[in-house]
Amino acid sequence: MDYGFSMTTSLSDTAPQLQLKFLGEPRVLLDSKPLSLPPSKKTRALLAYLALNPRTFRRELLCELLWEVPDDPRGSLRWSLSKIRRLVDSDEKARIVADRSSVSMDTEGLDIDIAHLHHLVKTGLEHAELSELIEAADHYLGEFLQGLELPDFHEFYIWCIAEREQVSKSQTLLLTTLINRLHHEPAQALPYARQLAALQPYDEAVRAELIGFLMKLDCQQEAEQQYRLGQKMLSEVGAQSSGLLRGAMQQDTSASMPTHSQASTTPAITKPSPINAPTVIGRQQELHSLQQCYQSVANDHQAKLLLLRGEPGIGKSHLLQAAAAIGQAAGAKVLLAGTFESDIVRPFALWIDALRYDSGNADTSLFNGDNHQDRDQLFTGLSDWVAEQCQQQALVMVFDDIQWSDESSAAVLHYVLRINRQRPLLVVAASRDAELNDNRAMLQAIRGLRGDKLLQEIKLGPLPGNELQQLISQHAPDVDVLRLSEECGGNPLFAIELARAETEGDSGSSLNELIQERLSRLEASATDMLLWASVLAPHIDIKSLQRVTDLSNSELDCALEIAEQQGLLHTHERGFDFPHHLIGASIYKQISPARCQAMHRRVAEILEVDTALDLKLAADLAHHAAKSGDPALAARAMVSAGRLSLRFFANEDALSLAQRGMKYAQQLSPAEQVCLTLELSEVEMTAAPSADWNASAEKYVALAEQALDHGALPYARLGYQMASYVRWINGQWSDAERDSLQAERVTRGSNDEEHIVGMAETAKCLALLERDLSHADAMLMEASSIAKRRQISSATIQIALGILRYYENDLPKSEELLLEARTIYKSQGDRINEYQANEYLVMVNIEAERYDVAQKRCQQLVEIGDKLREGSEAPFAKAIQALCDYALNNEDEGLDEPLQQLRVADAKHRLAYVLTRAARFDIEQGKIDTAIARAQEALEYTELLDRPSEKMLANIALAKAHKHNNDQAASERHLAAVVELNKSMVANWARNRATELLGTVNV
């Protein structure tokens, strides 16, 4: 566009006295010093329009351009022109030329950034000096009239968008020319390539060139990020890649960078993005404490948690940003994370988000694969990772809003700081006192750190009046700062919002009223979108908004743009959020209670379908369902989130969710209540052993009976099976058998799938109890036949068959079936049954005397056992591992401790298994007295439990041991017991041992 005035083409010449900057937010400079612009957006828009259109306009046209009839357009135009005159007129020259009918602006001699940019492009970029191009690229950044497009005023909006497009073309030409000049200097070209990719996000060639520079500079990780972003951008516009992105990633850079090996599989760690140090007004004492605390940690290698406490909006987040900037400026590694209200049920949320911030992608190794499922191993892994980082540089971790932290994150915080107390580790965290008092886990962690002398606290009070006045002046210099500073009560956030309100013409006296007035000026679609955003917060993204608002893409884009212009939403790399939690909370308060429940219900119903294996979604589901006013939905959500927490061994979180779900279930009709109570009880049972297992078993049977009364057969089956399992694990085997058989009976009137499950579970129970194995085999044959016909896959059939084949001594087939069951259970996240499949895989290999294979499998058993609830699983895994060590190395030193733990857990069947086999090895090593003691203890347990196979092994060991001691009477007594037991149903491997002992094929 020809602006109608002359100018030089070099930025280095003497600048005119008055400069108008329209790239980015509008600015006016006089002798390079910024002038205060009028707060009115329309006045600033009018200044740009007159300056960039140097001609005479009729007043009516300008009135129609920016004002509506009810606003007194002519009066508003006069007021705006008076404000502009103060900026551009001088004693020597009146630039605003106006009479009663027309207005124009004299732009002669003015320095206007856009005019310079267009002039430089028009006169030929190819002839400009390199230094001139670099200077221009550094100066002419930003979007034209950022935030001032005023979409409600069509003519101005059309002009603004057209001008913005023209500016974008000129910036693109400038950057393209500069990059071409610097093509062989990738380090110098890189920042301009980044600018160009941001300016032209959908241009594949532009992004490919950026990737090429990154590859040449060995910035592999950022190159991969840009590649993925490029693919995403193409997908958004429905375009197919031409192959340029892939080609850029695969280029050979060895010639240009001979010191780096392209064959390296280790991704390059890119330099983290710089953290902008905020301008902090006041709080000098707190800033000094931050500096001192960091220096103490870095110099003395003394880890610390620095806790900032205070009410919402008091400035905690601003100081956290300052702490991050202090750490990065000093050369420390800085990680940032924050929690939200819904995160309180998302295990390890704080640490997952913090490590995701790291450019080295530590969360890939720590929270993916199997390690993330092992709580203790995860704690150790996180601590080791922190220690490794601290060996290289000080580590600063900045956590916001820890009052909403989950139990697992709080426990890790305490553990990591305590273990790394002698390392340069600083955790700076912010919390609200009121909500923190409701977070038992985080309070416990803080108390522990206080007792360990690892805690320093800063309580933030109200900002003093003079500092508030300075803060308000910074945001709105033309307002009555004294009055506003008195009204805001020392709260910086409220002070800023009051200043914004004064600028915008709001009259509210509280934050809620200010937000209400701002919402009232928006279109209905924008207001509704913001209400939904406040419900979705903090996880606000385009996809979620589209699903709940039912707005079209263009309508949603427009609503989001308006919200950003109003300072009510801002964009970040994963979506949108509110500038401060209190702004979102204020918008949320505008929703009526009835609609609020309906909105949460809709979100929860969507998440109920989407949850799958995502812990964050499960936490969101629990959060929204709890606010939905629908107790059935809330109880179901607690079941889903609880089961997912169990999958990731977050047992404390699962238990808490189940207990919350029980409260919702109590509000339901009897039929719904019993069904959901059973599901929640299953979560409880898996998360932690009951203090009174017998009472729990009776409760499950009573619930099963109630489910039968309501015709809920699958739930009745679940109740009986839960009772059977609890009784089995605690040695009440006859009752366990009775409940298991009842579970199978109630499924006979149900559908095929439920009947399959019922038969398979009962057969498995009978196999575990070593009772009526022929009946178990018959049930499994029937279940397998139906399952095959209906094409239903059941891990329970596989594990039950595997256990039966184990007793038949068909060990290869047993191993095959158990491996298949283990894989299915692992994929389903069923940790109890995954453990059981692994348990029998170890036992199969022990029976086959493949102790080296069994020992390797024991490692998996130990890992799972350590992660499960407190019970006999962990000590049994360690005992059986020690048993394998004994078999291989002839040393039983590791057996005593886990055996004692099994005694404490009262796990008689597992104790008997280990003791009988250890007694056999004792005899081989000549430890006869030890063998007798162990076998006698095992025999007592097996007689209580009526386990014929294990009873036979105990008698075999005692017969052999007493024979070694020349106690013929005792030996013959146990031999007679073996002969008698051999007449009953025992495992084939036990029968083989008896045959070997008695020296005859038919005993």
Side-chain angles (χ1 to χ4, degrees), residues 71 81 275 336 593 761 791 855 898:
D71 295 334
L81 288 173
I275 296 172
L336 307 177
E761 288 285 357
Q791 295 184 325
Q855 188 182 48

Side-chain angles (χ1 to χ4, degrees), residues 494-526:
F494 193 27
I496 293 170
E497 290 303 317
L498 281 174
R500 181 194 290 272
E502 195 86 358
T503 300
E504 300 290 341
D506 292 338
S507 59
S509 58
S510 69
L511 182 60
N512 290 338
E513 290 176 357
L514 297 177
I515 297 300
Q516 189 173 14
E517 287 199 24
R518 211 172 300 167
L519 289 175
S520 69
R521 295 198 297 269
L522 303 180
E523 291 182 356
S525 59

Side-chain angles (χ1 to χ4, degrees), residues 638-920:
M638 300 308 157
V639 171
S640 298
R643 285 174 175 165
L644 199 53
S645 293
L646 288 174
R647 184 186 185 94
F648 291 87
F649 297 99
N651 296 330
E652 288 282 341
D653 297 304
L655 191 61
S656 174
L657 285 160
Q659 290 167 352
R660 289 173 62 191
M662 291 292 186
K663 296 177 182 177
Y664 293 113
Q666 290 170 7
Q667 304 172 39
L668 303 175
S669 66
E672 285 184 301
Q673 182 180 134
V674 68
C675 295
L676 280 164
T677 299
L678 276 164
E679 290 189 283
L680 290 161
S681 296
E682 185 185 27
V683 173
E684 275 187 330
M685 183 189 77
T686 311
S690 171
D692 186 346
W693 61 265
N694 194 50
S696 294
E698 293 296 331
K699 183 184 84 169
Y700 301 151
V701 169
L703 288 167
E705 291 290 320
Q706 292 175 42
L708 270 180
D709 290 339
H710 292 290
L713 300 183
Y715 294 94
R717 188 264 306 162
L718 175 63
Y720 286 122
Q721 284 180 349
M722 287 163 58
S724 176
Y725 174 79
V726 168
R727 285 173 168 147
W728 168 75
I729 204 74
N730 288 283
Q732 200 176 37
W733 286 27
S734 294
D735 289 341
E737 180 182 10
R738 181 199 65 211
D739 291 337
S740 182
L741 290 170
Q742 180 64 7
E744 188 273 330
R745 289 188 198 102
V746 301
T747 62
R748 293 176 188 174
S750 188
N751 58 47
D752 282 350
E753 186 169 359
E754 191 59 33
H755 192 196
I756 289 167
V757 173
M759 287 190 293
E761 288 285 357
T762 299
K764 174 190 162 189
C765 181
L766 292 174
L768 289 171
L769 295 170
E770 202 178 347
R771 303 282 178 91
D772 203 355
L773 298 184
S774 59
H775 184 196
D777 209 357
M779 279 194 288
L780 286 173
M781 287 177 63
E782 183 180 355
S784 298
S785 175
I786 300 172
K788 185 177 181 180
R789 187 170 67 250
R790 294 294 305 274
Q791 295 184 325
I792 296 171
S793 174
S794 171
T796 311
I797 293 176
Q798 305 305 110
I799 193 172
L801 284 170
I803 296 171
L804 283 177
R805 300 298 168 259
Y806 165 69
Y807 283 115
E808 293 168 1
N809 208 29
D810 187 353
L811 301 181
K813 185 62 176 177
S814 174
E815 185 170 34
E816 177 188 333
L817 291 162
L818 291 168
L819 281 170
E820 186 174 347
R822 172 197 166 275
T823 301
I824 297 172
Y825 284 133
K826 188 176 182 65
S827 69
Q828 292 174 343
D830 187 341
R831 303 309 179 192
I832 291 287
N833 279 309
E834 181 190 349
Y835 175 93
Q836 207 162 63
N838 275 295
E839 176 182 18
Y840 272 87
L841 280 167
V842 172
M843 291 160 63
V844 164
N845 282 285
I846 287 176
E847 210 52 56
E849 299 187 356
R850 294 183 298 180
Y851 299 112
D852 54 340
V853 178
Q855 188 182 48
K856 290 177 182 177
R857 291 210 177 278
C858 279
Q859 188 55 45
Q860 289 180 322
L861 200 64
V862 169
E863 288 176 2
I864 301 172
D866 282 340
K867 295 178 276 185
L868 288 172
R869 61 188 190 167
E870 294 180 8
S872 63
E873 287 82 7
F876 178 66
K878 291 169 184 172
I880 204 168
Q881 186 178 48
L883 183 70
C884 291
D885 290 340
Y886 191 9
L888 292 168
N889 304 315
N890 303 323
E891 294 290 340
D892 68 342
E893 294 177 358
L895 259 175
D896 288 342
E897 184 177 347
L899 282 172
Q900 183 56 32
Q901 291 175 351
L902 281 173
R903 293 185 186 102
V904 172
D906 198 25
K908 295 181 179 66
H909 62 294
R910 284 172 168 157
L911 259 171
Y913 178 90
V914 178
L915 287 167
T916 53
R917 284 145 184 87
R920 177 186 175 191

Side-chain angles (χ1 to χ4, degrees), residues 351 409-419 444-449 452 454:
W351 294 84
S409 292
V412 172
L413 178 64
H414 187 200
Y415 179 85
V416 167
L417 277 163
R418 195 161 44 81
I419 296 298
Q444 185 176 349
I446 289 171
R447 290 193 194 106
L449 293 170
D452 293 332
L454 296 173

Side-chain angles (χ1 to χ4, degrees), residues 561-708:
E561 191 172 356
I562 292 170
E564 287 192 271
Q565 291 168 6
Q566 290 291 324
L568 296 172
L569 272 183
H570 64 243
T571 310
H572 56 79
E573 64 273 13
R574 292 188 296 275
F576 301 87
D577 59 21
F578 295 102
H580 193 281
H581 169 75
L582 287 183
I583 292 176
S586 295
I587 294 174
Y588 184 80
K589 288 177 183 176
Q590 312 300 316
I591 309 172
S592 68
R595 191 185 180 203
C596 187
Q597 287 186 344
M599 294 169 84
H600 280 292
R601 188 180 306 119
R602 182 169 182 181
V603 175
E605 287 168 350
I606 291 171
L607 289 172
E608 196 171 18
V609 177
D610 291 349
T611 301
L613 301 182
D614 190 327
L615 276 172
K616 181 182 75 65
L617 287 181
D620 286 348
L621 170 60
H623 167 73
H624 289 290
K627 292 177 176 290
S628 70
D630 183 340
L633 178 62
R636 288 199 307 271
M638 300 308 157
V639 171
S640 298
R643 285 174 175 165
L644 199 53
S645 293
L646 288 174
R647 184 186 185 94
F648 291 87
F649 297 99
N651 296 330
E652 288 282 341
D653 297 304
L655 191 61
S656 174
L657 285 160
Q659 290 167 352
R660 289 173 62 191
M662 291 292 186
K663 296 177 182 177
Y664 293 113
Q666 290 170 7
Q667 304 172 39
L668 303 175
S669 66
E672 285 184 301
Q673 182 180 134
V674 68
C675 295
L676 280 164
T677 299
L678 276 164
E679 290 189 283
L680 290 161
S681 296
E682 185 185 27
V683 173
E684 275 187 330
M685 183 189 77
T686 311
S690 171
D692 186 346
W693 61 265
N694 194 50
S696 294
E698 293 296 331
K699 183 184 84 169
Y700 301 151
V701 169
L703 288 167
E705 291 290 320
Q706 292 175 42
L708 270 180

Side-chain angles (χ1 to χ4, degrees), residues 928-965:
I928 305 304
D929 291 342
T930 304
I932 291 173
R934 284 173 171 166
Q936 189 61 47
E937 183 183 359
L939 184 59
E940 292 171 6
Y941 296 142
T942 59
E943 286 176 342
L944 279 172
L945 298 171
D946 191 19
R947 302 276 325 244
S949 298
E950 296 299 328
K951 193 187 301 186
M952 178 178 276
L953 291 186
N955 277 291
I956 289 172
L958 285 167
K960 286 184 175 181
H962 285 304
K963 186 176 182 180
H964 272 280
N965 277 354

Side-chain angles (χ1 to χ4, degrees), residues 92 345 394 797 919 922 986 997:
E92 296 79 20
V345 293
I797 293 176
D922 290 334
V986 294
L997 173 68

